[in-house]
């Protein structure tokens, strides 16, 4: 490799490797400190409530309905078990997983491309995976404030699992292939808990292992190929068994199947169809912050494919492409979907930057060598431009947290920015106020009914009030699309919600985002007799208290 | 370089074809602006431009803080294309096409044809981005309606022309004539905006390079003559305006507003430099997301030139870029259209940089296999195109939907609404104007209180009883607090009393003007609320009309 700035390469002793890693971890920790103060986003509120329920003996889907794969619920439950039943526990989990991912990125790059590249990759990962860009909504170039929207999202936990599997596949060249295949199956299986798109990685691994076994020293060996594939598939399946047993034991397998395979698939068309503006908007929202990773990743990919086709380089290239496919495959282009691409992009940046820039034994020589070539000057300026852009866009985020941590900003003022209304129905600042109100007014054991919500489960978590129905998030019962609203499952679940709400008649009923009288008029549900019945019921027996950001709390007369 | 210069002598058919395509491209890209309505500044300039054609004068008959050239430009465009909204984008398109052509000529003169093509292409494309409509609240203005036909638009060809002339002058030929023209064109830009003096300084520095760079030899008497001619050209451009206002007896009013009042406001503002720097960086980065390739090339090419190719002409280009950035900074507001000024020098340096970096001919196979640096640059350009497409997509699709009848005019105009982040709302003003037209005679007067909504006068073709055709300045926290503002408010009140308008449109509720008790009481006592329109527009009618007395 033609050198970059050769400072770290001169640090030959092994101990420096770990010194750099320790400094990198300290830096990772430092720049992520604000996450310990941030509240939950809309999705996290749902995950957190279900995780709490699991620890209290409830069963996801059966007692707490959701359309999300179950891996994330158990992960949150684990964090609650370890760090206590608070919002910050989930963020501590995020922090720990980020540190693990940094270690893996650093060690993997060090093994493949050396100390310089490892430092660059590690820095790139730690900085850019903590950017605000991953809070993007995927449309209209809009983003949530800060990082709270993507903290502890499923992709955060998938990234180190996939990265670990890639690391193992690289080690497979020299280690026991069978053991590695089994562990890889387990790791990918775990990743698939969170999102089923991880299956793409399994397919990639199977193809790679099959190819390697077929062109190895011993030549084509069908038994070895079949054995390797079976081991991976076995590992992938094995990890599912404890969870399947859990649902079977609680008589909830049918509910899991209904939610994740029947109901979810009907909703998939809400976001699929690859609207071109969403595609562009989602990419723009992310790339504007970490463009440098994309540029180096694509330029390095080309360099690898045309010039440097070693086994491991190709593996990194394919992993990158599959990660992109995992993002694109979802068709929504939310910011946090892109978290999966940061590890391979960071590694490719570590690979590419020393190749594309001239080396130098000191800062001055390094600059002079690069400034003598306009292309290298361009690359250097681009790197600095992107870092400056990152700093500018994140400045307010860190400034606000510094004021909060130093006690110069009260909590209520700090929470003011955590509202995505009206771009998205979720508003933590308002939900927090409702929670304070309910804590004051509600009597022990009273329930909170929610008619239309999107993440406002956080109120249940903050107050400890039980919901009336199992629909802790119910936006999907009131879709704007008429065919989805008329879908038999949706209609049945909506009836269930209405029946339980009227039967229980809780003291408090919350409707978020849309006033109840408008909700019952949306074309897709306006002819639903259940909804009309619910509206009449609420109108007759409740009075309205309004909160900011279109929160309508009905209190029983 | 010498080889390229030799080739300048002949203009080939192929070259003319390329230039034609580039200039046409600049025009075609801007077609959606033809259906866009007026922005707030354009509304003000349109009323004054039309007034000039009717024999009225800026400052004396229409109060404005800006320097005068743009009002006469608007008058000229109405003379050429008729008094209608579309005259403004037509002129903007033609001027942008002219600037594109001039940038090509300058690039060709300084470097070579390829650099000229690339520079013109960069300018034609990126100077039409929607982010230039950025205003105080960020991305508040839809499409390009906020920044087209702004002062900067008209300054660009003049500046590029002045650089072209001075370079031609220094290369020989009719050098003094060319120098005079260079000064004259610079002088004209000064009448659009005074900070353009910064760019004129670049020309002066370049002309006096012999004084600054020891190795450059030049006779001092020759240098003196050149300076005299350049500065004379500059002064000559100012003379007609000064003489015109003096002859009309309005010179005092002009200086009173654009020097005395403006200084009383801006000269006394206490600046928090940290927050200005923060604003500068935030807004510049916001703008640069749409055209980052220009910024990167500007910096990279400048560094490369300073380290490797320090010819005096190259250094002039770098200096021009820096002066343009200073021009933006000098406003201390960092509005999107201020950044228009950086596009010519940035495009020039980007055009040179890209040709230098990629070579005149691109061989993709070679780039992918042997030249990763080139691949990196190509990816950066592609990424910028993706960003540009993402940000501009709606601008073009809404235009397409409108012209193909898929959305109505009302639906289309609804996009041009910056309220409540900014007072301006074209759909609300359009509705107000239509209502006024239907409920007034042509001789009736109207008045718009607050905001920057002069467009209501233009759309309704009704006149104001006062020269304050926009009045936010009289009530704002900064502009409205200086002693002169109180005099202006008294003048306004006298006008309202003497020539009472049939309708007063308030921008935001009348109660927001309560602290200005004289005007507030006058409206409360003499006017009745007749209609509330969208975006906090309130139509008050004179009580005597309401009572049926007239």
């Amino acid at each position: 490799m033609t050198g970059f700035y050769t400072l770290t390469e001169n640090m030959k002793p092994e101990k420096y490797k770990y010194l750099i890693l320790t400094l990198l971890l300290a830096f990772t920790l430092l720049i992520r400190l604000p996450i310990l103060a941030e509240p939950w986003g809309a999705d996290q509120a749902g995950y957190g409530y279900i995780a709490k329920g699991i620890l209290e003996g409830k069963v996801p889907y059966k007692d707490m309905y959701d359309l999300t794969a179950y891996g994330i619920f158990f992960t949150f439950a684990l964090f609650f078990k370890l760090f206590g039943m608070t919002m910050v526990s989930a963020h501590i989990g995020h922090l720990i997983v980020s540190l693990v991912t940094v270690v893996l990125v650093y060690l993997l790059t060090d093994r493949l491309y050396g100390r310089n590249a490892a430092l660059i990759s590690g820095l790139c990962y730690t900085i850019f995976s903590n950017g605000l860009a991953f809070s993007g909504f995927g449309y209209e170039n809009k983003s949530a404030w800060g990082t709270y929207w993507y903290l502890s999202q499923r992709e955060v936990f998938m990234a180190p699992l996939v990265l670990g599997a890639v690391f193992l596949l690289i080690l497979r060249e020299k280690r026991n292939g069978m053991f590695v295949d089994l562990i890889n199956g387990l790791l990918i299986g775990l990743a698939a808990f969170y999102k089923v798109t991880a299956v793409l990685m399994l397919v990639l691994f199977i193809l790679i292992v099959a190819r390697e076994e077929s062109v190895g020293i011993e030549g084509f060996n069908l038994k070895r190929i079949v054995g390797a594939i079976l081991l991976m598939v076995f590992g992938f399946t094995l990890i599912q068994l404890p969870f399947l047993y859990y649902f079977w034991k609680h008589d909830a397998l049918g509910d899991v199947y209904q939610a994740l395979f029947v109901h979810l698939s009907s909703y998939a068309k809400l976001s699929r169809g690859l609207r071109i503006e969403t595609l562009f908007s989602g990419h723009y929202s992310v790339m504007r912050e970490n463009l440098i990773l994309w540029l180096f990743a694509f330029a390095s990919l080309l360099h690898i494919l045309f010039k440097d086709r070693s086994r491991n380089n190709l593996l990194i290239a394919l992993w990158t492409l599959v990660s992109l496919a995992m993002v694109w495959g979802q068709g929504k282009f939310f910011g946090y979907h892109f978290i999966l691409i940061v590890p391979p992009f960071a590694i490719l940046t570590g690979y590419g930057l020393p190749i594309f820039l001239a080396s130098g034994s000191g800062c001055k020589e390094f600059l002079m060598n690069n400034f003598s070539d306009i292309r290298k000057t361009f690359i250097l300026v681009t790197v600095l431009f992107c870092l400056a852009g990152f700093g500018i866009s994140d400045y307010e985020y860190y400034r606000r947290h510094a004021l909060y941590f130093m006690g110069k900003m009260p909590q209520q003022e700090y929470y003011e920015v955590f509202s995505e209304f009206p771009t998205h129905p979720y508003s933590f600042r308002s939900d927090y106020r409702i929670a304070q109100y309910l804590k004051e007014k509600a009597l022990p054991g009273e329930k909170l009914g929610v008619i239309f919500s999107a993440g406002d489960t956080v109120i249940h978590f903050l107050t400890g009030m039980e919901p009336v129905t199992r629909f802790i998030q119910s936006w999907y019962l009131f879709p704007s699309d008429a065919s989805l609203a008329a879908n038999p499952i949706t209609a049945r679940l909506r009836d269930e919600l209405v029946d339980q709400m009227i039967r229980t008649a809780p003291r408090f009923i919350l409707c978020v985002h849309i006033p109840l009288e408008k909700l019952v008029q949306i074309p897709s549900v306006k002819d639903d007799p259940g909804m009309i019945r619910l509206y009449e019921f609420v109108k007759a027996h409740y009075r309205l208290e309004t909160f900011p950001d279109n929160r309508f709390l009905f209190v029983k007369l | 370089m010498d080889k390229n210069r030799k080739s300048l002598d002949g203009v080939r058919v192929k070259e003319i074809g390329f230039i034609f395509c580039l200039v046409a491209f600049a025009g075609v890209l801007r077609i959606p602006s033809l259906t866009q309505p007026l922005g707030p500044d354009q509304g003000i300039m349109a009323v004054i431009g039309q007034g000039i054609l009717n024999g009225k004068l800026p400052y004396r008959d229409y109060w404005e803080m800006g320097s005068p050239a743009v009002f006469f430009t608007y008058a000229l465009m109405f003379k050429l294309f008729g008094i209608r909204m579309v005259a403004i984008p037509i002129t903007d398109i033609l001027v942008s096409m002219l600037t594109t052509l001039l940038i090509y000529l300058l690039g060709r003169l300084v470097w070579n044809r390829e650099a000229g093509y690339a520079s013109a292409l960069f300018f034609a494309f990126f100077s039409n981005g929607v982010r230039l409509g950025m205003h105080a609240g960020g991305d508040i203005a839809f499409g390009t309606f906020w920044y087209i036909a702004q002062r900067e638009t008209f300054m660009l060809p003049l500046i590029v022309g002045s650089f072209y002339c001075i370079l031609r002058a220094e290369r020989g030929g009719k050098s003094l004539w060319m120098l005079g023209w260079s000064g004259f064109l610079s002088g004209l830009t000064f009448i659009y905006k005074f900070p353009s003096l910064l760019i004129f300084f670049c020309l002066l520095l370049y002309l006096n390079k012999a004084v600054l760079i020891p190795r450059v030899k030049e006779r001092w008497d020759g240098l003196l003559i050149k300076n005299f001619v350049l500065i004379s050209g500059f002064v000559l451009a100012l003379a007609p305006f000064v003489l015109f206002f003096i002859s009309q007896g309005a010179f005092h009013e002009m200086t009173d507003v654009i020097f005395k009042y403006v200084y009383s406001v801006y000269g006394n503002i206490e600046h928090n430099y940290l927050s200005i720097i923060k604003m500068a960086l935030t807004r510049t980065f916001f703008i640069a997301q749409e055209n980052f390739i220009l910024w990167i090339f500007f910096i990279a090419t400048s560094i490369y030139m300073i380290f490797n190719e320090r010819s005096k002409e190259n250094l002039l280009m770098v200096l021009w870029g820096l002066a343009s950035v200073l021009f933006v900074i000098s406003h201390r507001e960092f509005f999107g259209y201020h950044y228009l000024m950086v596009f010519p020098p940035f495009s020039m340096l980007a055009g040179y940089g890209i040709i230098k970096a990629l070579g005149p001919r691109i061989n993709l196979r070679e780039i992918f296999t042997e030249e990763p640096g080139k691949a990196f640059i190509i990816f950066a350009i592609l990424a910028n195109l993706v960003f540009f497409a993402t940000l501009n997509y709606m601008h073009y699709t809404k235009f397409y939907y409108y012209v193909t009848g898929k959305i109505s005019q009302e639906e289309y105009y609804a996009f041009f609404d910056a309220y409540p982040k900014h007072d301006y709302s074209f759909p609300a003003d359009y509705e107000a104007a239509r209502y006024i037209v239907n409920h007034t005679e042509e001789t009736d007067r109207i008045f718009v209180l607050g905001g920057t909504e002069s467009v209501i006068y233009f759309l309704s073709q009704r006149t104001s009883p006062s020269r304050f055709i926009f009045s936010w300045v009289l009530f704002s926290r900064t502009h409205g607090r200086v002693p002169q503002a109180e005099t202006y408010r008294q003048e306004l009140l006298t006008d309202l009393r003497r020539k009472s308008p049939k309708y007063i449109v308030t921008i935001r509720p009348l109660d927001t003007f309560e602290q200005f008790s004289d005007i507030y009481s006058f409206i409360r006592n003499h006017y009745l609320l007749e209609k509330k329109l969208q975006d906090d527009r309130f139509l008050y009618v004179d009580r005597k009309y309401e009572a049926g007395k007239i």
Side-chain angles (χ1 to χ4, degrees):
Chain A
M1 185 183 295
T2 55
F4 167 56
Y5 182 35
T6 52
L7 177 70
T8 55
E9 208 60 84
N10 295 332
M11 295 176 172
K12 290 296 177 196
E14 195 70 359
K15 64 179 178 183
Y16 284 116
K17 173 172 157 184
Y18 294 103
L19 175 67
I20 293 168
L21 183 57
T22 309
L23 290 173
L24 202 56
L25 290 177
F27 180 61
T28 307
L29 197 66
L30 184 71
I31 64 171
R32 281 166 175 75
L33 279 180
I35 70 175
L36 299 177
E38 287 182 88
W40 277 348
D43 289 350
Q44 292 83 345
Y47 307 153
Y49 181 79
I50 294 177
K52 180 171 171 266
I54 290 173
L55 294 180
E56 289 167 352
K58 292 181 191 166
V59 182
Y61 311 108
K62 185 180 160 194
D63 303 321
M64 302 166 292
Y65 194 80
D66 205 295
L67 297 176
T68 307
Y70 45 79
I72 192 71
F73 307 142
F74 291 97
T75 310
F76 268 57
L78 176 68
F79 294 142
F80 288 157
K81 198 80 183 165
L82 292 173
F83 310 117
M85 196 82 77
T86 58
M87 286 200 292
V88 77
S89 296
H91 293 176
I92 293 173
H94 175 100
L95 194 57
I96 292 169
V97 171
S98 298
L99 291 169
V100 171
T101 315
V102 170
V103 172
L104 288 171
V105 166
Y106 180 82
L107 294 178
L108 177 57
T109 319
D110 182 55
R111 184 179 184 87
L112 290 177
Y113 309 123
R115 195 77 43 81
N116 284 337
L119 178 60
I120 296 164
S121 298
L123 274 174
C124 283
Y125 181 79
T126 195
I127 293 172
F128 289 109
S129 69
N130 194 48
L132 313 184
F134 300 110
S135 294
F137 290 134
Y139 54 90
E140 289 181 7
N141 311 323
K142 297 273 172 60
S143 295
W145 195 88
T147 64
Y148 81 122
W149 205 257
Y150 74 83
L151 296 178
S152 309
Q153 279 285 8
R154 287 166 283 177
E155 283 78 1
V156 172
F157 305 109
M158 291 168 78
L161 294 170
V162 173
L163 180 55
V166 172
F167 207 155
L168 281 176
L169 200 59
I170 284 165
L171 294 177
R172 189 183 188 277
E173 209 177 14
K174 293 173 183 168
R175 302 276 164 88
N176 182 342
M178 285 176 66
F179 176 72
V180 169
D181 293 338
L182 179 67
I183 300 292
N184 265 348
L186 287 169
L187 289 173
I188 302 292
L190 268 175
F193 268 166
Y194 296 101
K195 278 198 172 170
V196 78
T197 47
V199 171
L200 285 173
M201 283 305 291
L202 184 71
V203 174
L204 173 68
F205 280 27
I206 287 173
L207 291 173
I208 289 174
V209 169
R211 186 182 179 280
E212 285 185 347
E213 292 296 349
S214 63
V215 296
I217 305 164
E218 296 163 25
F220 184 82
N221 185 334
L222 187 63
K223 269 187 189 170
R224 283 181 66 95
I225 295 171
V226 173
I229 293 171
L230 284 179
L231 270 172
M232 271 195 269
V233 174
F234 177 67
F236 185 87
T237 316
L238 189 68
I239 199 72
Q240 318 290 333
L241 293 180
F243 296 91
L244 292 177
Y245 173 73
Y246 167 85
F247 286 113
W248 174 73
K249 193 181 148 199
H250 290 92
D251 195 23
L253 271 179
D255 295 295
V256 176
Y257 173 75
Q258 276 291 320
L260 297 187
F261 294 94
V262 182
H263 200 190
L264 180 62
S265 63
S266 68
Y267 274 87
K269 68 176 175 179
L270 265 177
S271 49
R272 298 280 158 77
L274 202 66
R275 289 193 353 239
I276 192 83
E277 62 264 45
T278 319
L279 172 86
F280 273 88
S281 186
H283 280 78
Y284 164 74
S285 296
V286 171
M287 286 169 74
R288 66 183 165 182
E289 189 176 77
N290 48 42
L291 175 70
I292 198 69
L293 295 187
W294 291 75
L295 295 178
F296 272 114
F298 278 93
S300 300
L301 267 179
L302 279 184
H303 193 259
I304 285 173
L305 294 175
F306 284 96
K307 193 87 179 157
D308 198 6
R309 285 191 295 270
S310 71
R311 181 246 186 202
N312 290 335
N313 281 352
L314 284 175
L315 173 59
I316 299 293
L318 290 170
W319 170 33
T320 307
L321 295 174
V322 170
S323 299
L324 279 169
M326 284 161 76
V327 175
W328 293 335
Q330 296 182 69
K332 289 179 182 174
F333 309 103
F334 290 164
Y336 56 80
H337 293 169
F338 289 86
I339 290 173
L340 278 179
I341 63 167
V342 186
F345 275 31
I347 291 170
L348 284 173
T349 305
Y351 166 83
L353 200 140
I355 294 174
F356 299 169
L357 289 178
S359 61
S361 59
C363 203
K364 189 179 173 189
E365 191 185 312
F366 170 71
L367 289 175
M368 295 306 291
N369 289 348
N370 281 295
F371 288 164
S372 63
D373 181 333
I374 196 164
R375 290 187 282 271
K376 292 184 169 69
T377 311
F378 180 93
I379 294 171
L380 206 56
V381 170
T382 310
V383 171
L384 295 175
F385 190 83
C386 289
L387 287 174
F390 188 89
I392 292 165
S393 66
D394 283 40
Y395 169 79
E396 186 57 29
Y397 171 70
Y398 284 104
R399 191 191 70 85
R400 194 173 181 85
H401 280 95
L403 290 175
Y404 180 55
F405 286 137
M406 288 188 294
K408 291 180 179 173
M409 184 182 280
Q411 192 183 49
Q412 194 169 340
E413 187 186 341
Y414 170 69
Y415 280 161
E416 276 302 300
V417 288
F418 297 102
S419 167
E420 308 318 322
F421 187 84
T423 308
H424 186 281
Y426 187 69
S427 165
F428 179 82
R429 68 174 176 198
S430 193
D431 287 349
Y432 184 72
R433 281 194 208 176
I434 295 170
Q436 300 295 100
Y437 172 90
L438 290 172
K439 272 184 183 173
E440 196 185 306
K441 304 277 181 188
L443 301 171
E446 280 187 326
K447 291 184 172 182
L448 170 67
V450 178
I451 296 176
F452 181 89
S453 73
D456 307 276
T457 322
V458 74
I459 300 173
H460 296 296
F461 188 86
L462 292 172
T463 57
M465 290 174 79
E466 287 291 314
V468 171
T469 71
R470 61 177 174 142
F471 305 104
I472 56 163
Q473 301 207 55
S474 49
W475 56 268
Y476 45 77
L477 300 183
F478 306 95
S480 51
D481 183 292
S483 64
L484 280 175
N487 178 300
I489 304 169
T490 308
R492 179 169 55 77
L493 295 177
R494 201 166 49 238
D495 284 346
E496 185 185 327
L497 180 138
V498 169
D499 284 345
Q500 272 189 291
M501 196 69 74
I502 293 174
R503 196 164 1 104
T504 314
R507 189 168 155 220
F508 300 100
I509 294 178
L510 181 68
C511 187
V512 171
H513 185 46
I514 308 172
L516 188 58
E517 64 271 20
K518 285 194 180 162
L519 182 68
V520 295
Q521 284 168 7
I522 61 172
S524 55
V525 295
K526 71 177 168 50
D527 298 324
D528 184 340
M531 285 306 295
I532 295 164
R533 193 157 55 97
L534 180 63
Y535 175 62
E536 296 296 336
F537 168 75
V538 173
K539 216 170 88 174
H541 300 98
Y542 289 77
R543 67 180 167 82
L544 176 66
E545 295 254 348
T546 52
F547 286 82
D549 303 331
N550 276 19
R551 263 68 185 153
F552 306 95
L553 184 69
F554 296 94
V555 184
K556 204 169 181 183
L557 292 167
Chain B
M1 195 65 76
D2 285 336
K3 190 180 165 190
N4 288 323
R5 280 184 190 164
K6 276 178 193 169
S7 67
L8 293 180
D9 301 330
V11 178
R12 295 170 298 190
V13 176
K14 190 176 158 190
E15 185 182 358
I16 294 171
F18 270 139
I19 301 164
F20 178 81
C21 290
L22 277 170
V23 173
F25 177 65
V28 170
L29 271 183
R30 285 162 174 78
I31 284 176
S33 70
L34 292 173
T35 53
Q36 289 183 156
L38 297 183
D41 290 350
Q42 291 81 351
I44 295 167
M45 296 185 281
V47 172
I48 302 177
Q50 187 187 356
I52 289 171
L53 294 181
N54 294 332
K56 293 186 177 172
L57 277 183
Y59 314 111
R60 189 186 69 191
D61 303 316
Y62 300 108
W63 191 92
E64 231 288 2
M65 290 182 286
S67 34
V70 77
F71 310 128
F72 292 93
T73 312
Y74 269 64
L76 179 66
M77 71 171 78
F78 287 146
K79 193 79 182 167
L80 291 174
F81 304 114
I83 298 172
R84 50 206 177 121
M85 285 205 291
V86 76
I88 294 164
I90 287 175
T91 313
D92 178 86
I93 291 173
L94 292 174
V95 172
S96 300
M97 290 165 79
L98 174 66
T99 312
T100 306
L101 174 67
L102 290 171
I103 285 177
Y104 166 74
L105 293 173
L106 185 58
R108 180 185 189 266
L109 180 71
V110 181
W111 299 301
N112 51 45
R113 284 192 179 89
E114 287 77 15
Y117 294 141
S119 305
L121 185 61
F122 274 125
F123 177 81
F125 190 74
F126 286 110
S127 67
N128 191 46
V130 294
R131 276 277 157 101
L132 290 166
M134 175 194 76
H135 201 69
D139 217 354
I140 61 168
F142 182 82
T144 64
F145 86 121
W146 206 272
Y147 77 82
I148 60 166
Q150 282 280 8
R151 292 171 174 84
E152 283 79 357
T153 310
F154 305 110
M155 292 164 76
L156 297 186
L158 300 172
I159 288 174
V160 180
S162 68
F163 275 82
Y164 182 82
C165 289
I166 201 167
L167 289 177
R168 286 295 301 269
E170 286 296 273
R171 285 189 178 186
K174 296 172 182 175
S175 60
L176 286 182
W177 274 110
M178 279 294 176
L179 264 184
W181 272 111
S182 178
F184 183 79
L185 294 173
S186 271
L188 282 179
T189 63
F190 182 77
I191 309 169
Y192 281 99
K193 271 198 171 179
F194 300 149
S196 72
L197 208 56
L198 287 163
I199 292 162
F200 183 63
F201 285 148
C202 295
L203 301 180
L204 279 173
L205 278 174
Y206 174 70
L207 196 65
N208 294 290
K209 54 195 173 290
V211 180
L212 302 167
I213 308 168
R215 67 184 162 80
V216 181
K217 304 288 178 206
E218 197 162 355
R219 283 171 60 93
W220 68 269
D221 52 343
L223 201 58
L224 267 181
I225 293 171
K226 283 183 183 176
N227 275 289
F228 177 76
V229 172
L230 184 73
I231 294 170
S232 299
F234 185 89
V235 174
L236 200 64
L238 314 185
F241 288 90
V242 174
L243 292 174
F244 175 74
F245 278 99
I246 289 174
S247 70
Q248 298 294 317
F251 188 71
H252 174 70
E253 269 105 343
M254 178 170 80
T255 54
D256 195 49
V257 177
I258 62 178
F259 293 116
K260 196 174 150 195
Y261 173 72
V262 170
Y263 180 75
S264 74
V265 174
Y266 291 98
N268 293 315
I269 292 176
E270 280 188 21
H271 293 292
N272 176 347
Y273 286 99
L274 194 66
S275 57
I276 291 179
I277 292 169
K278 185 186 156 196
M279 180 168 67
L281 291 173
T282 312
R283 292 187 182 177
T284 302
F285 186 66
F286 186 77
I287 289 277
Q289 284 174 6
E290 188 176 71
N291 43 52
F292 66 81
I293 201 76
L294 295 186
W295 293 79
I296 292 174
F297 262 125
F298 162 63
I299 300 168
T301 311
S302 298
I303 291 172
Y304 177 77
M305 283 176 168
I306 289 166
F307 278 90
N308 305 286
E309 291 182 2
R310 282 188 297 273
S311 76
K312 47 189 188 296
E313 291 179 355
N314 280 352
L315 291 179
L316 176 65
M317 294 297 121
V318 175
L319 209 58
W320 179 17
L322 293 172
S324 302
V325 173
L326 278 178
F327 173 91
V328 177
I329 294 171
S330 71
H331 291 73
R332 285 182 285 199
E333 286 171 317
F334 303 95
F335 293 162
Y337 54 80
H338 294 164
Y339 289 86
L340 272 171
M341 197 58 80
V342 305
F343 279 83
F346 280 26
S347 300
M348 293 282 298
L349 289 166
Y352 174 77
I354 196 169
I355 297 298
K356 184 84 185 172
L358 299 183
R361 277 173 185 72
I362 293 174
N363 181 338
L364 281 181
R365 187 180 176 79
E366 207 174 282
I367 288 171
F368 293 157
T369 51
E370 303 299 331
E371 294 165 320
K374 285 187 179 179
F376 186 94
I377 293 172
I378 289 174
F379 280 125
I381 294 167
L382 291 175
N384 201 157
L385 292 178
V386 169
F387 281 25
F388 193 91
T390 306
L391 294 170
N392 285 266
Y393 173 81
M394 294 274 273
H395 172 49
Y396 287 96
T397 49
K398 298 303 174 202
F399 166 75
Y400 170 75
Y401 292 149
Y402 177 50
V403 294
T404 54
K406 288 178 179 160
I407 56 174
S408 65
Q409 189 186 54
E410 196 179 344
E411 286 169 315
Y412 179 64
Y413 280 170
F415 292 106
F416 301 93
D417 184 353
Y419 192 83
K421 289 180 180 167
H422 185 279
D423 276 340
Y424 194 70
S425 162
F426 182 81
D429 293 343
Y430 185 69
E431 192 187 350
R434 275 197 309 185
Y435 186 88
I436 287 166
V437 168
N438 291 333
H439 293 81
T440 56
E441 303 296 326
E442 280 182 21
T443 50
D444 286 333
R445 291 192 176 91
I446 61 161
F447 184 72
V448 182
L449 185 73
T452 47
E453 326 295 304
S454 306
V455 71
I456 296 175
Y457 300 112
F458 186 78
L459 294 172
S460 63
Q461 288 293 301
R462 302 291 183 263
T463 54
S464 163
S466 161
R467 63 173 174 149
F468 296 101
I469 51 165
F470 67 99
S471 54
W472 69 268
V473 278
L474 306 187
F475 308 104
S476 90
R477 275 188 303 155
T478 49
H479 298 64
R481 291 289 175 270
V482 296
Q484 184 68 29
E486 182 51 36
T487 315
Y488 288 150
R489 280 193 292 271
Q490 288 308 318
E491 181 189 329
L492 169 64
L493 188 60
T494 310
D495 290 338
L496 291 176
R497 280 185 174 139
R498 215 175 53 206
K499 297 178 270 186
S500 50
K502 181 172 181 184
Y503 281 103
I504 291 180
V505 184
T506 68
I507 310 302
R508 300 194 185 259
L510 184 60
D511 289 349
T512 53
F513 299 90
E514 197 171 358
Q515 56 181 306
F516 307 101
S517 54
D518 291 348
I519 292 174
Y520 175 74
S521 308
F522 172 78
I523 299 174
R524 283 291 299 264
N525 295 335
H526 296 89
Y527 286 79
L528 278 173
L529 178 64
E530 182 169 300
K531 191 171 174 64
K532 183 183 181 311
L533 304 172
Q534 61 168 308
D535 297 335
D536 275 348
R537 266 72 175 154
F538 300 87
L539 263 166
Y540 286 86
V541 65
D542 191 334
R543 282 176 190 267
K544 60 182 182 265
Y545 288 91
E546 187 63 19
K549 287 178 185 171
I550 295 177

